[in-house]
Amino acid sequence: MSTLKISDLHVSVETDQGTKQILRGVDLTINEGEIHAVMGPNGSGKSTLAYAIAGHPKYTVDSGSITLDGEEVLEMSVDERAKAGLFLAMQYPVEIPGVTNSNFLRTAKTAIAGEAPAIRTWVKDVRGAMEKLRMDSSFAERNVNEGFSGGEKKRNEILQLELLKPRFAVLDETDSGLDVDALKIVSEGVNRAKAETGLGILLITHYTRILRYIKPDFVHVFVAGRVAEEGGPELADQLENEGYDRFLTSASA
Amino acid sequence: MSDETIPLTGPTVDLTAPDGGTAVEVTGTGSRAALISDATSSHNGGAPVQTRNARFTSTEVSAFPEVTGREASWKLTPVDALRDLIDGALDGGRYDFTLDAGAGDGAGIDVSWVPRTDQRVGLAGIPEERASANAWSTFSEALAITVSGEERAEVRVQRDAFGPAVRGAHTIIEAKPFSDSVVVLDNSRDASLVENVEIIVGDQARLTVVTVQDFDDDARYLATHFGRVGRDATFKHVVVSLGGKVVRVNPAVTLAERGADGELLGVYFSDAGQHLEQQVFMFHQAPDTKGRVNYKGALQGAGARTVWIGDVLIGPDASGTDSYEQNRNLVLTDGTRADSIPNLEIETGDIQGAGHASATGRFDDEQLFYLQSRGIPEEVARRLVVRGFLADIVQKIGFAPLEERLHAAIEAELAGDAETPSIEVTA
């Protein structure tokens, strides 16, 4: 069984005001097939955790480790992490002018699998995955995320999740900016990917709304760069009713 | 000097590159007049030229004063590397070429040498600078490419035998009324050449002219393309500059009759030590004309240099004009320089629209991160981003065999990066 283990992770970022510490000792273990929700108020470091796992160059890991089945992820380049089985669904997917979605998907699949996918099955897979996400077939020939609406960009992220079949996926506020219909479609996609490949999921969200459609096994509350409280799905219900106030008070106390 | 001149100078420099990168170097002139006043004073009695079409012209090389390198048309060009082309004796004789017919199998296209006395010589334009006039004074015969008939016709003129001789040449491309054609001037190997290309687009003709500069590393090439577009005619002009030491192609296109449509495209890739330049001039002379100028370039390696000057002039009679010009440059390494200068002059208030934009930026780190986070290695990600950036123009050429070749040529340019240290990706 695969395990993604984050231990005592400290991460900082360079700003105009100097170095700013964001993560202050995060411990988190995700096993294959588990869904972990990371919740917390704005600025608590949720997205930083996502980027640190994926290896964004803007974030500096000061100490701690992230291992995937014992292998140190922090020593891997960004693309090596993806090849090792990690995937980040971004909050703000990037537009790539002049590169078609189909070319991008094929290039990514080839890179991750180590060989080009067989054309016929690949085309069928892409078309099938797009249909399930209610994406018009024209999105294959459009440039990556260029001119996509917010909801279309998020579907495109889940399309990649379904096609690239990672072992662990980090979903960074995938629910933000989605109306309820798009939220359901995107959630179905995530659940489908999990049912098919048994991947482990780190679901980062500010709101409990998406947890109605993607059921977490564990909930972690992030405050001021570390996990302040952990529990089962019932913790999400508690947050739904009480909000983050309790944690903010204790953090500032 | 016209009181109606509205020099919309001070280019709208969009400091954010299309890819989100920051502008590295954008040289915009404060005013057109400032740029050209020093150039014109010497042979224009000191009066600053106000409009772009009011520059001094002559076919006689002796009518132009010696080039100092301060003139409007030379101030960003390495003139010392071009003295023999500007001032020296040129070989104006024939050169060898081969023809490669596409659609139409050569029917409707005639390619032949014609004497200087050919009635078409001088129809599309007259030199504005000394090198151009030097070639004009020198050529013994012009290579004339004449397209007639109404069926689609395509021809590629492969010119790879200019050799080391310092040459002057003259080329005429005439698209007869109602014709529909693609003419490719495919220039490669060695050259030290100054050339004038006159392009006459007849009423309702559709003509695409593509000039490819894929010369050897030491080649030097100075070209002026004069285009005259007739009534309801559609003219597409594409400059593709990849290889050569100094390559300068200056297209000057006049939308001369009502309803003329001009699309001027360019794509260039400058490597270490290369100077690639284009001074583009679109003149809306007649009413209801449409003009689009879109040039994109990439720079890579120490001393890679590009210059783009885009002048658009909307004349006093050009009511209903629809015009837009833009230039974008992608800087791939340190040690490069891209000059990008858009100028727009409008002499009538009654237009549909006119705009210009220029941006020069670095790689967008977020684009690279996004691609890499999907498992795509950094080098492949870079190529995808550059190819995508330039593909925009290549896809607009509308001539599939050439498009494929250009994609391959751009790949080769990118692959040539193996020796060059890659730039930092950190923010």
Side-chain angles (χ1 to χ4, degrees), chain B residues 159-211:
Chain B
R159 307 196 298 175
D160 57 3
F162 291 121
V166 181
R167 289 179 175 276
H170 199 97
T171 304
I172 297 167
I173 300 171
E174 184 190 11
K176 298 271 193 193
F178 304 105
S179 64
D180 179 4
S181 60
V182 178
V183 175
V184 180
L185 298 178
D186 199 345
N187 306 310
S188 63
R189 300 174 81 166
D190 197 10
S192 285
L193 175 65
V194 195
E195 180 176 29
N196 292 297
V197 178
E198 292 194 77
I199 304 164
I200 302 148
V201 191
D203 292 352
Q204 287 202 44
R206 303 178 66 82
L207 171 66
T208 297
V209 171
V210 185
T211 176

Side-chain angles (χ1 to χ4, degrees), chain B residues 46 141 177 193 299 322 324 341:
Chain B
E141 289 172 296
L193 175 65
L299 298 90
D322 176 6
Y324 194 82
I341 307 173

Side-chain angles (χ1 to χ4, degrees), chain A residues 131-152:
Chain A
E131 269 171 28
K132 286 178 193 149
L133 287 163
R134 321 268 211 284
M135 291 175 77
D136 190 270
S137 59
S138 66
F139 280 88
E141 291 316 310
R142 284 174 62 179
N143 292 332
V144 178
N145 293 324
E146 201 176 48
F148 288 24
S149 71
E152 287 162 353

Side-chain angles (χ1 to χ4, degrees), chain A residues 56 79 88 95 111 157 160, chain B residues 366-367 370 372 374-375 384 388:
Chain A
H56 195 290
D79 54 306
L88 169 62
E95 300 184 3
E157 294 292 284
Q160 294 165 47
Chain B
E366 295 301 326
Q367 288 182 346
Y370 188 74
Q372 287 178 264
R374 296 329 184 215
L384 267 181

Side-chain angles (χ1 to χ4, degrees), chain B residues 290-301:
Chain B
K290 181 179 172 188
R292 290 289 180 273
V293 178
N294 193 359
Y295 274 66
K296 280 188 163 185
L299 298 90
Q300 169 173 281

Side-chain angles (χ1 to χ4, degrees), chain B residues 33-370:
Chain B
L35 181 71
I36 60 177
S37 61
D38 52 0
T40 52
S41 54
S42 55
H43 54 70
N44 202 24
V49 173
Q50 282 298 299
T51 53
R52 178 60 179 80
N53 65 335
R55 285 192 190 175
F56 176 78
T57 60
S58 172
T59 58
E60 287 301 320
V61 62
S62 57
F64 291 89
E66 196 154 319
V67 171
T68 64
R70 293 191 299 273
E71 300 84 352
S73 58
W74 293 109
K75 64 190 300 175
L76 299 170
T77 314
V79 290
D80 287 338
L82 303 166
R83 287 288 176 196
D84 52 344
L85 296 177
I86 297 170
D87 301 320
L90 306 176
D91 175 351
R94 294 184 179 187
Y95 51 85
D96 290 332
F97 61 85
T98 49
L99 296 180
D100 179 10
D105 206 23
I109 296 187
D110 178 73
V111 182
S112 54
W113 293 99
V114 299
R116 289 180 64 92
T117 50
D118 191 281
Q119 291 189 341
R120 293 169 293 184
V121 171
L123 271 191
I126 301 294
E128 288 182 343
E129 39 86 359
R130 191 171 159 104
S132 174
N134 196 19
W136 201 295
S137 304
T138 305
F139 77 94
S140 54
E141 289 172 296
L143 184 68
I145 302 160
T146 310
V147 185
S148 51
E150 296 186 20
E151 299 298 323
R152 165 94 167 187
E154 297 167 354
V155 68
R156 183 171 73 104
V157 185
Q158 192 179 328
R159 307 196 298 175
D160 57 3
F162 291 121
V166 181
R167 289 179 175 276
H170 199 97
T171 304
I172 297 167
I173 300 171
E174 184 190 11
K176 298 271 193 193
F178 304 105
S179 64
D180 179 4
S181 60
V182 178
V183 175
V184 180
L185 298 178
D186 199 345
N187 306 310
S188 63
R189 300 174 81 166
D190 197 10
S192 285
L193 175 65
V194 195
E195 180 176 29
N196 292 297
V197 178
E198 292 194 77
I199 304 164
I200 302 148
V201 191
D203 292 352
Q204 287 202 44
R206 303 178 66 82
L207 171 66
T208 297
V209 171
V210 185
T211 176
V212 180
Q213 286 67 239
D214 196 7
F215 290 115
D216 288 349
D217 290 349
D218 293 333
R220 297 166 303 148
Y221 180 59
L222 296 174
T224 306
H225 285 217
F226 303 97
R228 186 188 185 282
V229 187
R231 187 179 175 101
D232 297 327
T234 303
F235 177 47
K236 191 185 286 186
H237 184 269
V238 190
V239 177
V240 181
S241 290
L242 301 170
K245 177 86 183 152
V246 180
V247 174
R248 187 172 98 155
V249 178
N250 295 351
V253 172
T254 300
L255 302 175
E257 308 282 350
R258 184 184 287 268
D261 185 314
E263 185 174 19
L264 311 185
L265 303 172
V267 57
Y268 46 94
F269 197 121
S270 180
D271 289 323
Q274 262 191 314
H275 178 102
L276 303 181
E277 176 168 354
Q278 34 266 310
Q279 298 181 17
V280 186
F281 176 32
M282 175 84 87
F283 178 24
H284 293 265
Q285 188 178 41
D288 303 320
T289 57
K290 181 179 172 188
R292 290 289 180 273
V293 178
N294 193 359
Y295 274 66
K296 280 188 163 185
L299 298 90
Q300 169 173 281
R305 174 85 191 273
T306 65
V307 175
W308 179 86
I309 301 173
D311 296 334
V312 171
L313 170 61
I314 299 173
D317 301 324
S319 58
T321 290
D322 176 6
S323 186
Y324 194 82
E325 64 164 347
Q326 70 167 334
N327 173 228
R328 307 235 180 253
N329 296 298
L330 187 57
V331 175
L332 306 183
T333 63
D334 287 334
T336 68
R337 176 173 167 178
D339 290 89
S340 179
I341 307 173
N343 297 297
L344 175 57
E345 292 174 87
I346 307 176
E347 298 182 315
T348 173
D350 180 22
I351 61 167
Q352 270 198 24
H356 58 175
S358 161
T360 298
R362 267 191 186 279
F363 258 120
D364 183 348
D365 294 342
E366 295 301 326
Q367 288 182 346
L368 288 180
F369 173 69
Y370 188 74

Side-chain angles (χ1 to χ4, degrees), chain A residues 1 7 29 35 59-60 82 93 97 99 104 106 108 125 127 160 173 184-186 199 202 217 219 226 233 235 250:
Chain A
M1 187 170 70
S7 314
T29 300
I35 298 179
Y59 298 90
T60 308
V99 179
F104 163 60
R106 197 177 54 246
D125 288 352
R127 197 173 296 153
Q160 294 165 47
E173 306 217 11
K184 281 182 190 168
I185 291 168
V186 161
L199 83 166
L202 186 64
D217 302 301
V219 174
R226 59 160 66 98
L235 181 55
S250 63

